[in-house]
Amino acid sequence: MSELIQALSAQEIAGIDAEIAHVPYRSAVAIEALKIVQAHRGWVSDESLRAIARHLHMSAEELDGVATFYNLIYRRPVGEQVILLCNSISCWIKGCDKIQKRIQEQLGIGLGETTSDKRYTLLPVTCLGACDKAPVLMVGEELHENVDTHSLSRLFDDGGGTSE
Amino acid sequence: MSLDLPLTRNVRPDRSPTDFAAYEANGGYRGLRAAIGKLTPAECLQVIKDSNLRGRGGAGFPTGMKWSFVPMDDAAAGHKYLICNADEMEPGTFKDRLLLECDPHQLIEGMICAAYTIQADIAYIFIRAEYHRAEKLLREAIAVCYEKGYLGRDILGSGYRLDMQVHSSAGRYICGEETALISSLEGKRANPRAKPPFPQVSGLWGRPTIVNNVETLCNIHHIIERGADWFQALGLTEDAGTKLYGVSGRVKKPGCWELPIGTPIREIIERHAGGMEDGYQLRGFLPGGGSTDFLTPDHLDLAMDYGTIGKAGSRMGTGTMIILDDKTCPVGFVKNLMEFFARESCGFCTPCRDGLPWSAQVLDDIENGRGRPEDMHTLARQVEFIGAIGNTHCALAPGAMEPLQSAMKYFREDFERHISGGACHFCEGGAH
Ligand SMILES: Cc1cc2nc3c(=O)[nH]c(=O)nc-3n(C[C@H](O)[C@H](O)[C@H](O)COP(=O)(O)O)c2cc1C
Ligand code: SF4
Ligand code: FES
């Protein structure tokens, strides 16, 4: 038990247990549990994964199968903020490739990469349901519409770091 | 002419959310009061059946018929579930976000009436993780409904009990497929399930479950309050009701509007979306999201309804059109979609998991000047095999083939020119 408490905070355990109260069996909250831990730590390490699996009475392998299925569960460290760049069709028509290139120039990161100062990670995302405002991207929880090079400069004006 | 547009009557130009007070002041929760304690579940079901409402999530299945498979006798004792599909990830689709962000109580009222009809005791809203604003508004609105006695035990003193929860997802397009959604709600990988058994009989945790789209559910209380005839009369053609239509791409005013179902495509693109941007011509369009077949300017005068678009060789899908203009490469367009579908394959069955990346690779070769004449044959074989319903475990892969097969039909010369010229003739000077 002491080992478990080391890997998951009391707050995390309380959050997960509150979810367990709503479902017929513990492993049913696998996704919520992963999201709770990720909200606290930014990502899900192997250690966290094992601790969650034990808490849910499932094998770490099975939980990892769930974790790696979902693109918004991060099994590797990400920057303080994740940039989700929509590269689906309407944003492609409106030039998301150019936006991606501009981000590469400005922050020095391509898809899947993190700036060396660990501030930003850039990931592609499925159509964000804002196609009439294409191209769009999210920074953290914030949606940015009709993005162009000017708005990108404003968004990341202090440049961020360069990728390694 | 002032149209009766029930779904967007609380949508404000600045898209600020309508709160509980404003919602009730504008006639909200009257449908719920008309249903619960006044009509039996069977009577509610009959109204929905008579209304001819069809699912707005893409497949267009009649809602009343879908609900009629839910067991209602004593053998069905135990939990029953209603799930709202708010996963909206179909490329080019941006209609449910509007309903969720602008009028959360409308969805909740529709869901309570739907749940009452099938006698579900637990309702979930399965919402994609990126819709943070909508998620917050829904959680707040649900809390208000518990306070007001519209949710929880003994709703309006009728003895009917319903609990409602929001489940925020963790990504992946396949979660929108209804059986994959159920797997995901159970905390598993979102692999679709074989049917039968259908979810109506054995869905979430093996219990009877109905999954409906946001827009479908937003209609329910309006129909119960105002009647099946009123709903039927809203449509301009044989389909009933209104529909949220959208247009994106190089038009002057991209957007989403509620219009009578059966509104002509030309009116949607030219009047509501303002026509093409200056300097661009219309070459084709996907009528209802990324997994529908292309139509062309020859189809502009068709009515936008299920039957008419089906007869023209496509599907109304989600009703949100994606415009292909004359400066955008049709091969690049289809390649973008195919790479999307390949990325989003859940990996369960071989034609999809291995076939879609292959199609994407062939399209990438053609787009980048490495295409060979036999590639056209390869693509045609892939369409034939992967596109056939029944060869794959779910509709993702056949859906992926729809834009490809129709692009090969309508824009064949562009494919061939890429291959014979060894380059994309849109790349120089064009958008791509
Ligand atoms: C790959 C795939 C993705 C889907 N995504 C969605 C979605 O995001 N939202 C939705 O309502 N329906 C989606 N559907 C359709 C659902 O499976 C289901 O038909 C729909 O939610 C039923 O609701 P309705 O009868 O109200 O239309 C998807 C289907 C497939 C095959
Ligand atoms: S068709 Fe694709 S998404 Fe559907 S079950 Fe098969 S692999 Fe999964
Ligand atoms: S395609 Fe980018 S928001 Fe829809």
Side-chain angles (χ1 to χ4, degrees):
Chain A
M1 201 61 193
S2 63
E3 199 191 341
L4 177 66
I5 290 175
Q6 244 179 14
L8 294 179
S9 70
Q11 235 185 335
E12 288 164 324
I13 291 178
I16 296 169
D17 287 349
E19 296 292 337
I20 291 174
H22 294 296
V23 294
Y25 47 89
R26 298 172 79 87
S27 63
V29 305
I31 296 162
E32 279 88 350
L34 290 162
K35 285 181 74 167
I36 287 168
V37 170
Q38 181 166 294
H40 281 92
R41 300 170 191 239
W43 66 296
V44 180
S45 66
D46 288 349
E47 193 194 26
S48 304
L49 184 97
R50 280 194 294 269
I52 301 168
R54 271 198 306 272
H55 194 63
L56 300 184
H57 301 172
M58 63 198 291
S59 73
E61 289 72 20
E62 191 184 353
L63 184 63
D64 205 18
V66 174
T68 54
F69 187 91
Y70 295 96
N71 59 298
L72 297 176
I73 302 292
Y74 307 134
R75 286 286 281 115
R76 283 193 282 166
V78 291
E80 281 158 49
Q81 291 203 295
V82 174
I83 306 167
L84 295 175
L85 176 68
C86 174
N87 64 357
S88 291
I89 189 66
S90 308
C91 289
W92 176 80
I93 294 169
K94 290 293 192 82
C96 66
D97 289 350
K98 283 185 197 130
I99 301 297
Q100 190 182 322
K101 221 151 116 204
R102 182 78 190 117
I103 292 175
Q104 173 87 56
E105 287 162 13
Q106 233 182 310
L107 299 179
I109 49 174
L111 294 179
E113 294 177 350
T114 300
T115 54
S116 55
D117 63 2
K118 309 276 185 272
R119 284 189 60 191
Y120 297 108
T121 296
L122 178 65
L123 295 173
V125 75
T126 297
C127 173
L128 283 168
C131 325
D132 52 340
K133 311 276 173 26
V136 302
L137 56 77
M138 290 179 78
V139 182
E141 296 194 358
E142 206 61 43
L143 177 72
H144 299 273
E145 303 172 333
N146 298 310
V147 177
D148 57 21
T149 47
H150 294 294
S151 53
L152 280 183
S153 311
R154 275 197 309 276
L155 261 176
F156 309 115
D157 51 2
D158 46 7
T162 42
S163 163
E164 31 217 80
Chain B
M1 185 179 61
S2 122
L3 292 171
D4 190 355
L5 303 173
L7 300 183
T8 52
R9 64 180 179 179
N10 292 323
V11 173
R12 302 169 180 148
D14 68 351
R15 294 187 65 149
S16 60
T18 296
D19 65 9
F20 179 81
Y23 182 74
E24 269 213 330
N26 200 19
Y29 290 108
R30 277 211 302 246
L32 177 132
R33 291 176 181 281
I36 296 186
K38 300 268 170 37
L39 298 177
T40 64
E43 285 166 337
C44 292
L45 178 63
Q46 197 57 48
V47 179
I48 299 301
K49 274 186 177 165
D50 293 343
S51 75
N52 196 22
L53 171 66
R54 296 175 63 167
R56 305 303 198 223
F61 194 82
T63 306
M65 195 198 293
K66 179 169 181 170
W67 293 2
S68 69
F69 298 119
V70 176
M72 298 298 286
D73 48 23
D74 290 344
H79 291 306
K80 285 198 260 182
Y81 298 98
L82 173 77
I83 303 172
C84 170
N85 190 343
D87 202 44
E88 189 163 69
M89 287 203 215
E90 182 68 24
T93 299
F94 51 103
K95 65 183 188 71
D96 297 339
R97 187 198 265 270
L98 182 82
L99 296 171
L100 294 163
E101 291 186 350
C102 298
D103 204 6
H105 281 283
Q106 171 170 248
L107 173 63
I108 292 170
E109 185 179 5
M111 287 182 70
I112 299 170
C113 292
Y116 175 74
T117 306
I118 60 165
Q119 289 289 293
D121 60 335
I122 300 180
Y124 286 100
I125 300 172
F126 186 102
I127 188 167
R128 67 178 295 185
E130 297 90 337
Y131 282 7
H132 297 283
R133 187 174 134 96
E135 181 191 339
K136 185 166 160 284
L137 290 168
L138 287 166
R139 288 190 196 277
E140 289 166 3
I142 288 172
V144 174
C145 286
Y146 272 104
E147 267 168 42
K148 304 284 176 187
Y150 292 163
L151 281 173
R153 65 180 80 227
D154 199 19
I155 298 174
L156 301 179
S158 66
Y160 174 59
R161 177 187 183 135
L162 176 67
D163 286 301
M164 190 175 287
Q165 284 178 40
V166 177
H167 172 97
S168 162
S169 184
R172 291 310 288 277
Y173 166 67
I174 190 62
C175 290
E177 197 280 338
E178 61 180 19
T179 61
L181 185 154
I182 290 170
S183 300
S184 188
L185 256 188
E186 291 179 357
K188 300 179 182 139
R189 292 167 72 89
N191 293 120
R193 299 177 176 184
K195 298 189 253 191
F198 288 90
Q200 290 99 314
V201 179
S202 176
L204 187 63
W205 292 303
R207 301 294 311 163
T209 302
I210 286 287
V211 181
N212 274 125
N213 172 256
V214 172
E215 187 184 350
T216 312
L217 290 166
C218 285
N219 276 294
I220 303 303
H221 54 289
H222 295 296
I223 298 174
I224 289 178
E225 184 195 340
R226 302 173 74 176
D229 292 340
W230 163 79
F231 190 72
Q232 294 248 10
L234 290 177
L236 301 180
T237 54
E238 62 184 29
D239 280 318
T242 60
K243 177 80 193 75
L244 292 190
Y245 292 118
V247 181
S248 67
R250 296 215 175 265
V251 289
K252 287 205 182 89
K253 296 184 291 176
C256 177
W257 315 272
E258 181 185 14
L259 298 170
I261 207 162
T263 298
I265 296 170
R266 185 185 297 283
E267 193 179 318
I268 299 170
I269 295 180
E270 292 180 1
R271 181 150 150 241
H272 297 281
M276 298 299 290
E277 267 181 36
D278 292 333
Y280 292 89
Q281 304 246 326
L282 176 68
R283 275 201 85 192
F285 57 96
L286 305 182
S291 37
T292 58
D293 280 273
F294 274 101
L295 294 177
T296 69
D298 291 342
H299 298 109
L300 279 176
D301 292 310
L302 295 183
M304 191 66 173
D305 67 26
Y306 296 99
T308 311
I309 303 301
K311 270 184 230 132
S314 186
R315 290 187 302 120
M316 190 162 84
T318 58
T320 43
M321 307 177 197
I322 308 158
I323 302 288
L324 171 67
D325 61 76
D326 63 338
K327 296 194 170 63
T328 295
C329 174
V331 177
F333 189 112
V334 176
K335 172 175 114 93
N336 172 277
L337 287 168
M338 194 59 77
E339 286 172 347
F340 164 80
F341 289 117
R343 180 182 83 195
E344 296 302 325
S345 166
C346 83
F348 185 84
C349 57
T350 312
C352 176
R353 182 191 58 240
D354 292 354
L356 300 189
W358 185 16
S359 300
Q361 183 59 53
V362 174
L363 288 166
D364 186 64
D365 285 345
I366 296 176
E367 174 65 5
N368 289 299
R370 298 184 305 267
R372 299 158 307 166
E374 59 269 31
D375 287 344
M376 292 304 281
H377 178 69
T378 306
L379 288 175
R381 287 297 307 276
Q382 290 170 345
V383 163
E384 199 182 319
F385 184 69
I386 304 170
I389 305 284
N391 280 358
T392 57
H393 193 57
C394 88
L396 182 144
M401 292 296 132
E402 291 181 25
L404 172 61
Q405 67 183 5
S406 48
M408 288 173 68
K409 178 162 112 195
Y410 293 122
F411 313 117
R412 193 169 188 92
E413 73 277 18
D414 290 288
F415 284 79
E416 285 168 350
R417 195 165 152 201
H418 277 77
I419 294 171
S420 59
C424 173
H425 48 285
F426 289 89
C427 285
E428 295 294 296
H432 301 286

